Amino acid sequence: MGTVINLTIFMAPTRGCKLDLQCCDSYEYCVSCCLNPSRTKETDVLKLKVARPVTSGTYRNVFDFCMGRCRHSSASVVHENAYASDFHHCFLLQQNSSGSADSGSGPRLDGINISIGRRGESCSSVCRAKGQSCVPSRLSVLNKCEILQKYMRCKSGCFSNLGPDQPAQVVDEAPSNLNPGACLYMQMDERLTCDGSHQHTRRLCPCA
């Protein structure tokens, strides 16, 4: 039997949600906020694939997108067994897999303190040192070459890679085979995590 959504809460869509983060503390509130045309554009949603493989279909409508997007993802979990925040139902549009930024990046970073970590430091640690928390749903917004190049030098270029410490920049002192000075983003947004770190990189972190 499918999930039943009480759409009467659409009359008060901001309840239980942090609209600056596009995340809510319940699945119903998330779907309700997501369905608001001012927050989710049908033209954007209908272009998105339901899953990563190129053979995947696209969403049929905004309701299908909101129903799927508001479910938990690995980005809302820390240590694989606990939620990073009570607001772990998020309807943020996922980026494409090219590492390029879209025109909506600015508004999605409102209220976010973008911080650069020290070598080998996780985003959880970076934000904690500032008296804040890492916002996992915003890692995908920073996970783009244009954003990395805005905050880091990326003197050796920007490349797709696979690692729990991304988005990040390889430190200049790293071994030559690790491409010192390069910025790294990950194509699989669902694997981004606040807790990842690497001894030879500095992370770009969303704190709030």
Side-chain angles (χ1 to χ4, degrees):
M1 184 175 179
T3 302
V4 177
I5 298 296
N6 178 11
L7 292 181
T8 59
I9 60 174
F10 187 65
M11 299 300 294
T14 59
R15 181 181 176 185
C17 295
K18 287 187 176 181
L19 298 183
D20 56 333
L21 303 181
Q22 290 179 262
C23 294
C24 306
D25 61 5
S26 78
Y27 179 64
E28 285 189 335
Y29 288 141
C30 179
V31 173
S32 177
C33 286
C34 178
L35 286 172
N36 189 318
S38 68
R39 301 188 184 95
T40 305
K41 305 297 184 184
E42 185 175 32
T43 53
D44 294 334
V45 167
L46 297 182
K47 299 175 185 176
L48 295 175
K49 289 187 176 296
V50 176
R52 287 290 179 182
V54 294
T55 55
S56 298
T58 55
Y59 290 100
R60 293 176 299 175
N61 50 52
V62 174
F63 185 68
D64 279 354
F65 165 79
C66 293
M67 289 275 287
R69 191 70 186 101
C70 284
R71 298 188 189 281
H72 308 305
S73 72
S74 59
S76 63
V77 178
V78 293
H79 304 305
E80 299 183 353
N81 61 2
Y83 291 116
S85 167
D86 289 338
F87 295 84
H88 49 259
H89 297 274
C90 302
F91 55 95
L92 175 71
L93 285 173
Q94 291 177 304
Q95 71 167 86
N96 58 39
S97 60
S98 67
S100 60
D102 58 47
S103 59
S105 296
R108 295 176 192 170
L109 292 175
D110 288 347
I112 297 296
N113 177 19
I114 300 175
S115 303
I116 300 174
R118 293 173 295 184
R119 176 177 178 171
E121 191 176 21
S122 71
C123 281
S124 294
S125 177
V126 172
C127 297
R128 190 182 306 116
K130 297 178 178 295
Q132 298 181 314
S133 298
C134 175
V135 184
S137 64
R138 288 302 179 268
L139 284 169
S140 62
V141 184
L142 301 184
N143 188 43
K144 303 176 178 70
C145 286
E146 285 85 349
I147 301 297
L148 282 161
Q149 290 164 346
K150 179 179 178 180
Y151 292 94
M152 296 173 157
R153 289 182 296 167
C154 303
K155 64 180 183 180
S156 298
C158 184
F159 306 99
S160 170
N161 196 38
L162 183 62
D165 58 311
Q166 290 151 34
Q169 181 179 30
V170 182
V171 297
D172 292 340
E173 300 78 17
S176 59
N177 65 306
L178 296 182
N179 204 356
C183 287
L184 306 174
Y185 72 92
M186 185 158 54
Q187 290 191 347
M188 292 177 284
D189 286 351
E190 65 273 12
R191 294 194 179 185
L192 296 171
T193 171
C194 289
D195 289 337
S197 64
H198 190 283
Q199 62 177 325
H200 294 305
T201 64
R202 301 176 65 199
R203 296 199 64 181
L204 188 64
C205 305
C207 304

